[in-house]
Amino acid sequence: MSEFTYLFRGRNTSGSPEEMQRHLEKWVAWMKDLGASGHIKEQGHPLEGTGKVVRGAQKIINDGPYAEAKDVVGGYMVIEARDLAHAAEISKGCPILDVGGSVEVRPVQKLNM
Amino acid sequence: MEPTDHLFRRESGRMVAAITRIFGIHNLSLAEDVVQDAFCRALEVWPFRGVPENPSAWLMATAKNRALDVLRRARTARTFAPEVGRLLKSEAALAPLVDELFAANAIKDGLLRMMFSCCHPLLPEEAQVALILHILCGFSVSETAAAFVTTHAAMEKRITRAKKALAKSKRLFDVSAGVEFSSRLPAVHRALYLLFNEGYHGASAETAVRVDLCREAMRLTALLIEHPLGAISTTYALAALMCLDAARLPARVDTSGNLSSLFDQNRSQWDQELINEGLKFLQLSTSAPEITEYHVEAAIASVHARAPRAGETDWNTIVSLYDTLTTLRSSPVVALNRAIAIGQNQGPEQGLEEIRSIPNPNRLTAYPFYWAALGEFELQLARYDVAREHFATAVALARNPMERGFFKRRVAATQIPNPV
């Protein structure tokens, strides 16, 4: 088993209360499935939409990330899967895909000594 | 029903009502933004942290904090509710004030204020009902449009206009003032009655939507009953009528998903608990001498509820109740129902006679059940061709696939000469 990080991009900010609730229920169910099938290595965290970006040798601090809503990372988690293809396959169940978001699947680098 | 079923919808109304008390009715859309924010927050956090033990309290607390943020940021630039404006000037008074308006009792009070505000006399009835569904029951514009089987554009226009009118009214309705409460109460009754009817008789094909509307109307009526000024005979009558009618909902669609008429329903599926509750409310509604249309409609529903089989219905009583209803509120549909009851009581010839003598039937002729009633009586008289034609007209006028299927089966019933 290898470890992969899911970066969830995009957020669902519109929708009626009922639609938001349905969407949330899908998330909860998906997370539960992942947990039950032993894929979750670290539950991860949701991230605030605001923050600062520090850049360059001058260490200039800007408000940020100011990306388009669909590109903002809203949270991350670490999962376990056989390989990258498997990790990507599992991510297909993520409800963020229903609302124009994306899941970035990145293998966690292992130190091979 | 799951405890969290429609949680967001329900909380939406409670939170908007509570925040509007602080922000003021002219800042309704700001209150709605704060509530939307709270839902977004839940959507960001709950997947990772799990659904909180008390989701409703979590949402309330989040909305409360957001509301405080808004107040702190904007209290010098914006004017909020005139009732609390003075208190907003002091930072020290701010948090306790917001806490107070988010206490359980205050939230109930807030819902009532909003409900009475939505029934503003300057607003047409259909706008009042749409507002209630939208603001208090958390239906989006699209969902409200779907519930009333109208276009999104039309509903958006109706709701936007109504909100503007509401904003102009400056203040939320004060439910502690006895005289005003009592004089606005009939409009509130009427709006809740229309909301319930939209669910019960409306054109929506979605059984779930219709049950939701009935349930929402009942929930808001219960809120009226809990208020000392609201618990009057007419409110009890309205609650009785809703319970007794809603008790039949589980039997209205049979196991194959087909619409089932009052005569064919499997009465063992009627919700006995709701019937008992309805009868209790009906009893309470007799506390005052006045009689409203709700009293009479509840009494009619109670006669049906008491009949173990359709054949044992006390049609005599029902006809005389319809006579009373006609004097209170005569309408073509009331006249049609009265004619149907007479037909049950005195035979199909008499029923047809009564239907034909309804004055101004123009509005009725667009109503599929008018033709279905004619068809039933003709069928009972073994005039199959005429009956078939009437049912075919009903098929053409049906408002949704479920009604269409129902009338088509009635057309089919005319093919087999099997007189009742």
Side-chain angles (χ1 to χ4, degrees), chain B residues 133-298:
Chain B
L133 199 58
H134 177 61
I135 300 177
L136 288 168
C137 310
F139 279 55
S140 69
V141 172
S142 298
E143 288 160 354
T144 310
F148 289 99
V149 199
T150 173
T151 63
H152 177 92
M155 187 50 79
E156 183 150 57
K157 207 166 165 190
R158 189 186 297 175
I159 288 180
T160 311
R161 253 192 216 153
K163 278 185 177 171
K164 268 189 196 142
L166 212 56
K168 271 197 203 135
S169 67
K170 294 279 197 290
R171 271 167 194 272
L172 275 171
F173 189 88
D174 182 2
V175 287
S176 60
V179 180
E180 280 106 78
F181 189 102
S182 304
S183 65
R184 181 72 64 93
L185 190 54
V188 176
H189 285 146
R190 175 83 185 152
L192 296 181
Y193 172 79
L194 292 176
L195 180 60
F196 182 86
N197 265 1
E198 194 59 43
Y200 202 73
H201 299 289
S204 172
E206 298 271 345
T207 309
V209 169
R210 301 173 54 141
V211 171
D212 281 350
L213 296 189
C214 291
R215 202 184 281 158
E216 289 303 306
M218 291 166 81
R219 179 173 71 92
L220 296 174
T221 305
L223 212 58
L224 277 184
I225 287 180
E226 286 173 30
H227 192 279
L229 292 170
I232 62 163
S233 156
T234 308
T235 311
Y236 284 122
L238 184 63
L241 132 75
M242 289 179 180
C243 289
L244 292 168
D245 275 347
R248 302 202 298 264
L249 279 173
R252 281 200 4 173
V253 177
D254 68 17
T255 42
S256 355
N258 294 322
L259 206 59
S260 184
S261 86
L262 179 59
F263 300 97
D264 304 324
Q265 285 171 13
N266 175 0
R267 298 190 172 206
S268 68
Q269 288 178 349
W270 287 1
D271 186 330
Q272 201 55 49
E273 215 171 294
L274 270 180
I275 291 179
N276 293 339
E277 202 172 342
L279 294 175
K280 191 187 80 194
F281 284 138
L282 188 61
Q283 185 60 39
L284 287 165
S285 77
T286 56
S287 60
E290 78 192 300
I291 288 197
T292 65
E293 56 191 277
Y294 312 121
H295 288 88
V296 182
E297 284 200 34

Side-chain angles (χ1 to χ4, degrees), chain A residues 8 11-24 27-28 31 43-48 75-77, chain B residues 4-9 12 36 39-51 66 138-140 143 212:
Chain A
F8 303 108
R11 46 185 76 213
N12 185 14
T13 54
S14 62
S16 68
E18 187 72 4
E19 288 161 351
M20 308 269 290
Q21 185 178 339
R22 296 278 162 263
H23 185 68
L24 179 71
W27 264 105
V28 172
M31 288 286 203
Q43 183 84 36
H45 292 282
L47 301 176
E48 292 285 353
Y76 70 91
M77 64 189 290
Chain B
T4 53
D5 199 19
H6 298 316
L7 172 85
F8 278 24
R9 263 192 186 158
S12 168
Q36 186 72 10
F39 290 138
C40 287
R41 197 87 193 143
L43 225 59
E44 287 164 19
V45 176
W46 295 8
F48 292 90
R49 302 262 182 277
V51 177
R66 290 274 149 144
F139 279 55
S140 69
E143 288 160 354
D212 281 350

